[in-house]
Amino acid sequence: MVSVNNLLFIGLVESKRENVDAFLVRKLWPNLDFSYDWVASNGASGGLLLIWNSNLLSSVSITKGARWISMDFVYGNNSYRHVLLYASNVASERVLFWQEIQSLLEFPGIVLISGDFNEVRHPDERLNCAGFSLSMIAFNEFINSTELVDVPLQGRRFTWHNSYSRSRIDRCLVSAAVGLYWLNLSLTAMPRGKSDHVPICFRSANKFDWGPKPFRSVDAWWEHDDFDNFVKESWNSVCSSSNNLTQRLRELRTRIKNWNANIFVDQNKKIKDLNCAILAKEVAADYRQLSVEEESDLAILKNELWVSEKRVESLWIQKSRLNWNLSGDWNTKFFHSIASQHHRNNHISSIQVEDSLFAEPADIRFHIREFFNSPYSQKERVTTKKGM
């Protein structure tokens, strides 16, 4: 997830760890250029872990509370503060917690607050919720008084669920001034995996071009039955066509990269397809009860995903660590702003058509156009009556 989405930093909530060390973080972060800090859990309850790229973030300073960890850093000549939090599931404790978090907003730069707020803003963010509670009102007052912007979530309606309940308790709040710095901001729901929470990815469409990427050999290639013969045949072929060593190596590199893209990554493509299939069924479950057959299909898909992930686990570890400093860290200008309530109210982040949810702008435009075209595309019915 870190490599595919080019994350600059990541926050994990409910780590359930009383202690975190570099050995553990190396299993989570795909290269060695990282720093981290954490808030210990209370036994097997709670816990926060924040990991960031130490090459791209400078002047990092950390402050912590019992349920939050704050990271100040400089990036692109701007100062930022990111607060990762895990709010209590007791309503009376959350009211005091909002006051504690409010004190962290006295910062001259841009502020981001993300995590598990254990609260919803509106009744439609919780399944079968009838109206506003006092704790919901207090949460909305906190957001409004601090002039924070609640970034709309794309791709899912709820971010947490168990056997009986579903709600959107995970979100990201940002300073209203982000409109001056970040364009095309989005908050996207990602495949849930094995957790009862849906990961949310906060980013922008803006990317940096770091130039050509050096070629690196992947050890797992040599475990493939056909790779050894492929390299031998390719090398014989390029040697027969050129006497220049540099040209030979360049051609061999091109052939290996094509082989890697077209043959070796079949399992990775299967993982992506399985995640999409699982996401589609879970989105449908947000709006209706799945049938017994659909529940069985979902369980089968999750089992197939687990098998595929285990098959490529060693590959992902090595490959991501090799390429991270080359291609994994260029999602750095990844924020944009919805700087007003008016913009947020008029922003269409996704559209549901029957049991399918569409978040891509092209899909949204297509289905809206089809909806309004369909009443005018039906053939006109002509009714005639026989004369008396």
Side-chain angles (χ1 to χ4, degrees), residues 342-384:
H342 175 77
H343 183 100
R344 185 170 76 243
N345 290 340
N346 287 279
H347 176 67
I348 300 177
S349 59
S350 60
I351 186 171
Q352 183 185 2
V353 180
E354 296 179 349
D355 290 336
S356 299
L357 198 67
F358 299 93
E360 292 297 325
D363 294 332
I364 293 174
R365 291 196 300 267
F366 172 79
H367 287 287
I368 290 178
R369 184 173 63 251
E370 287 297 299
F371 175 80
F372 286 102
N373 280 342
S374 58
Y376 303 101
S377 61
Q378 297 177 0
K379 294 182 179 180
E380 182 180 359
R381 295 181 178 178
V382 179
T383 303
T384 60

Side-chain angles (χ1 to χ4, degrees), residues 301-352:
L301 289 172
K302 289 184 177 180
N303 182 68
E304 291 179 357
L305 176 63
W306 182 85
V307 172
S308 296
E309 286 176 338
K310 296 299 292 183
R311 288 175 179 173
V312 299
E313 182 177 4
S314 61
L315 167 67
W316 275 120
I317 292 174
Q318 184 197 5
K319 189 174 181 180
S320 59
R321 285 177 178 170
L322 285 171
N323 291 337
W324 179 258
N325 62 331
L326 305 172
S327 61
D329 286 334
W330 46 285
N331 183 30
T332 48
K333 219 179 191 179
F334 53 77
F335 318 115
H336 97 153
S337 171
I338 303 166
S340 67
Q341 183 72 30
H342 175 77
H343 183 100
R344 185 170 76 243
N345 290 340
N346 287 279
H347 176 67
I348 300 177
S349 59
S350 60
I351 186 171
Q352 183 185 2

Side-chain angles (χ1 to χ4, degrees), residues 50-70:
L50 186 62
I51 313 172
W52 64 91
N53 186 290
S54 56
N55 281 346
L56 297 181
L57 299 187
S58 61
S59 303
V60 176
S61 62
I62 299 292
T63 54
K64 298 184 284 188
R67 287 185 170 272
W68 56 268
I69 178 169
S70 175

Side-chain angles (χ1 to χ4, degrees), residues 141-155:
E141 289 179 349
F142 160 72
I143 295 176
N144 294 332
S145 63
T146 55
E147 298 182 350
L148 293 171
V149 176
D150 184 12
V151 183
L153 179 66
Q154 299 181 8

Side-chain angles (χ1 to χ4, degrees), residues 2 10 12 23-30 49 51 321:
V2 174
I10 185 172
L12 303 178
F23 180 78
L24 171 64
V25 177
R26 288 193 189 102
K27 298 179 179 180
L28 305 174
W29 194 260
L49 174 59
I51 313 172
R321 285 177 178 170

Side-chain angles (χ1 to χ4, degrees), residues 247-259:
Q247 184 63 35
R248 289 176 177 180
L249 293 175
R250 184 179 294 113
E251 176 63 23
L252 179 64
R253 179 185 65 180
T254 300
R255 296 191 181 196
I256 292 177
K257 291 173 72 173
N258 290 335
W259 179 90

